[in-house]
Structure formats: C-alpha cells, structure tokens
C-alpha cells in the first residue's frame, strides 16, 4: 500500500513539475478551427494608426475568414489525401524550407565576402572583349536644354550664353536657373532619345530627326514657353554603345560572375571543413 502511494506521489510531482516549467501561452485566441487557433498577434500588423475603425473591423473579419477557409481546406486535405500524397507534400515543404535557409545563408556570406569594386582597366578589358554585346537598340544623344518663358526680359542674353556655353556662361546660367521652367546643362552624359521625348513634350516623332544631328541647335515653342536645345553628340541604333554608358551594366555582369565563383568556392569549402571536423561522413 505504501509502495503504491509512493508511486502515485512521484507521478503527481513529475506532472506538476512539467506543468510548472512549461512555458505558458499567454497569446489571446480570436478564432478556432478544430485544433488550430488564430491569435491576436497573427493579425496585429493588419491595422495601422491611419486605419479607420470601420476599415479595421472589415480587415480583421476578412483575415479571419481567409484563415478559417484555408485551415478548413488543410484539415480536409489531411483527412482525405492519401498518406503517400501527404508524405510527398511534406518532402516538398522540407525541401522548400531548406532552400530558403540555404539561400539566405549563402546571400549573407556572399554579401560579407564579395568584392563589389570594379577597376577601370577591368571594365575596359571586358568591354573590348565583348563589344558585339553592346550594340545599341535605340539612339543616344548628349545634349543640354533650357525651357524659359518666351517673354522673359533677358531672353536674348540667355540664348547667347546657352549657345556659346563657355565656363563663364555655364556658371552664369546656373546662377539664374531659378528663372527657368526646367533645364539640364550637363551635356557630357549620354541620354536615351526616348527619355528626352518623354520629358520634353514639344519633341515628337515629326521633329525627332533634328535631335539626331550632331552639333545641331534647336529652338522649339510650346504653350508654356521656348525650348533651347543643343545637341553635342549622337549615337544611332546598332552602333557600339560607349564604355561610359555601359559601365554600370559591365559592373553588374562582373559582380554576378564573382558571386557565382564565390558560391562555388563556399560550397566546396563548407564540405571540406565538415569532413575535416568530422561533421560530414559517407558510410560504405
């Protein structure tokens, strides 16, 4: 009798101890489907300070309904799908989880170790060896422009400075640029003609060819004023894009190649280290 009482007391103590050390789930359930619960923490990010009370109620209700519908389908699948089918899905889920973890870890390692600098000589070498890959599929120009009111007091002086455009002229035009409706005085960079046409509505398919003439000056009017445009240089379709224009693309290509090489090295090294540290072994 005493032995049975002792056993009973031990069981009670063990059960009580397990319950005591078990972390309490203090989350607040807001919905249940069979044995699954939806908690307030699961939907707290749906509502922001800017959300109205009416919208909040609607968002929460819709979210609960979507969760319940999905959970009911999942429960139905667990009851009706074959064990073989469920096993296949579980393998896919496990593989997807592994792929996510692997990708995140590799990306972190690559980010930490990759060299993202590109020396000029490296860019030039890649460019010279792959010029055929850099044929233009649209026109590029180097140009500057200002858009001013047609009746602006100093229009003649602005036009003169704009066309001559020495260092002093550029500085003076910069200093009065607040008078311009819009402008771009940096004529040392290549720009797509399509971008020019998108930005400057007065340029259209009918007068586009005027943009494609080197050293050409244009003066075009619209309902808001006058555009002064100076074309410095032109590159047409199928011509080779200049290095300065494609350098960002080359940099991305080179860095992507470095990433692939680094990933291959990481894959080899992690396996070698695991074998060396006896974390990985193949049984005969």
């Amino acid at each position: 009798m005493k032995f049975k009482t002792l056993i009973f007391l031990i069981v009670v103590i063990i059960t009580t101890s397990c319950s005591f050390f078990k972390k309490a789930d203090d989350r607040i359930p807001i919905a249940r489907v069979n044995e699954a619960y939806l908690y307030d923490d699961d939907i707290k990010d749906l509502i922001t300070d800017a959300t109205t009370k009416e919208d909040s109620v609607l968002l929460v209700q819709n979210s609960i309904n979507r969760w319940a519908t999905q959970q009911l389908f999942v429960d139905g699948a667990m009851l009706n799908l074959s064990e073989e089918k469920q096993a296949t899905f579980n393998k896919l889920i496990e593989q997807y989880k592994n792929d996510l973890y692997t990708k995140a870890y590799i990306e972190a390692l690559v980010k930490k170790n990759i060299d993202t600098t590109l020396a000029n000589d490296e860019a030039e070498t890649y460019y010279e060896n792959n010029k055929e890959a850099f044929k233009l599929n649209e026109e590029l120009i180097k140009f500057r422009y200002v858009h001013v009111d047609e009746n602006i007091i100093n229009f003649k002086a602005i036009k003169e400075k704009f066309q001559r455009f020495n260092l002093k002229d550029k500085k003076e035009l910069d200093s009065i640029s607040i008078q311009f409706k819009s402008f771009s005085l940096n004529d040392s960079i290549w720009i797509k003609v399509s971008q020019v046409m998108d930005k400057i509505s007065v340029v259209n398919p009918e007068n586009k060819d005027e943009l494609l003439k080197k050293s050409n000056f244009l003066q075009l009017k619209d309902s808001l004023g006058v555009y002064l445009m100076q074309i410095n240089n032109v590159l047409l379709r199928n011509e080779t894009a200049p290095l300065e224009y494609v350098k960002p693309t080359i940099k991305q290509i080179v860095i992507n190649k470095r990433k692939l090489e680094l990933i291959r090295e990481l894959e080899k090294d992690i396996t070698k280290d695991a074998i060396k540290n006896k974390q990985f072994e193949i049984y005969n």
Side-chain angles (χ1 to χ4, degrees):
M1 185 72 178
K2 289 181 180 180
F3 179 74
K4 289 183 177 180
T5 302
L6 180 61
I7 294 297
F8 175 75
L9 287 172
I10 291 172
V11 172
V12 170
I13 290 169
I14 291 173
T15 305
T16 304
S17 298
C18 290
S19 298
F20 179 77
F21 287 107
K22 186 178 180 181
K23 185 179 179 181
D25 190 346
D26 56 357
R27 294 177 298 170
I28 302 171
I30 58 173
R32 179 186 67 81
V33 170
N34 297 322
E35 301 303 316
Y37 289 86
L38 181 70
Y39 297 94
D40 60 340
D41 285 350
D42 298 324
I43 64 168
K44 64 181 181 180
D45 293 334
L46 287 174
I47 311 302
T48 65
D49 293 338
T51 311
T52 65
K53 184 177 179 181
E54 293 77 10
D55 288 342
S56 298
V57 172
L58 188 61
L59 283 169
V60 170
Q61 189 60 56
N62 287 341
S63 180
I64 292 172
N65 289 338
R66 283 196 301 272
W67 172 83
T69 301
Q70 185 179 52
Q71 194 60 49
L72 287 166
F73 274 120
V74 170
D75 287 354
M78 299 299 287
L79 288 172
N80 293 284
L81 292 179
S82 67
E83 291 184 4
E84 183 181 357
K85 196 75 171 176
Q86 291 186 43
T88 300
F89 286 154
N90 286 333
K91 285 181 182 179
L92 290 172
I93 291 167
E94 188 65 24
Q95 185 59 54
Y96 181 61
K97 183 185 78 171
N98 291 339
D99 289 344
L100 285 176
Y101 277 106
T102 301
K103 183 182 178 184
Y105 184 50
I106 288 175
E107 285 179 351
L109 290 174
V110 168
K111 185 176 180 180
K112 183 179 179 181
N113 295 284
I114 193 75
D115 177 10
T116 57
T117 60
L118 180 68
N120 287 332
D121 58 345
E122 188 176 5
E124 289 171 7
T125 299
Y126 188 91
Y127 176 74
E128 291 298 328
N129 292 336
N130 297 276
K131 272 190 172 181
E132 287 301 313
F134 298 116
K135 295 293 184 182
L136 291 170
N137 56 15
E138 60 180 311
E139 303 93 346
L140 301 180
I141 62 171
K142 285 183 176 181
F143 93 127
R144 63 182 180 271
Y145 86 94
V146 294
H147 186 200
V148 297
D149 191 310
E150 186 178 6
N151 298 316
I152 193 169
I153 296 173
N154 52 347
F155 178 77
K156 186 176 179 180
I158 290 172
K159 181 177 178 180
E160 184 179 341
K161 290 180 174 64
F162 179 82
Q163 288 185 278
R164 187 172 55 218
F165 208 63
N166 57 33
L167 289 176
K168 183 181 178 182
D169 293 331
K170 183 176 181 181
K171 187 175 180 181
E172 289 181 1
L173 288 171
D174 274 327
S175 69
I176 63 169
S177 60
I178 193 170
Q179 301 178 37
F180 306 152
K181 296 180 181 297
S182 63
F183 70 99
S184 175
L185 299 175
N186 186 358
D187 56 6
S188 63
I189 60 172
W190 290 103
I191 302 174
K192 295 177 182 178
V193 170
S194 59
Q195 290 179 315
V196 175
M197 294 179 71
D198 288 341
K199 184 176 179 63
I200 302 176
S201 59
V202 74
V203 179
N204 52 52
E206 285 70 36
N207 57 28
K208 173 187 170 183
D209 287 345
E210 295 300 313
L211 282 180
L212 303 178
K213 296 177 182 178
K214 293 180 183 180
S215 304
N216 195 24
F217 171 76
L218 296 177
Q219 181 171 320
L220 301 174
K221 292 183 181 181
D222 66 1
S223 59
L224 300 176
V226 178
Y227 282 93
L228 305 177
M229 289 178 276
Q230 179 67 50
I231 293 83
N232 281 351
N233 207 346
V234 176
L235 283 173
L236 302 176
R237 290 174 184 267
N238 295 318
E239 290 191 76
T240 303
L243 174 59
E244 62 196 271
Y245 183 75
V246 296
K247 192 173 181 179
T249 302
I250 292 174
K251 182 177 181 179
Q252 194 59 53
I253 292 170
V254 171
I255 291 174
N256 285 340
K257 288 180 67 177
R258 289 178 189 168
K259 283 181 179 179
L260 292 174
E261 290 169 2
L262 182 56
I263 289 170
R264 281 193 288 267
E265 289 176 11
L266 289 170
E267 288 173 345
K268 290 178 183 177
D269 290 345
I270 199 170
T271 306
K272 286 181 181 178
D273 290 343
I275 293 172
K276 182 180 178 181
N277 297 322
K278 296 185 178 179
Q279 295 172 307
F280 168 45
E281 54 186 317
I282 300 174
Y283 300 115
N284 294 325

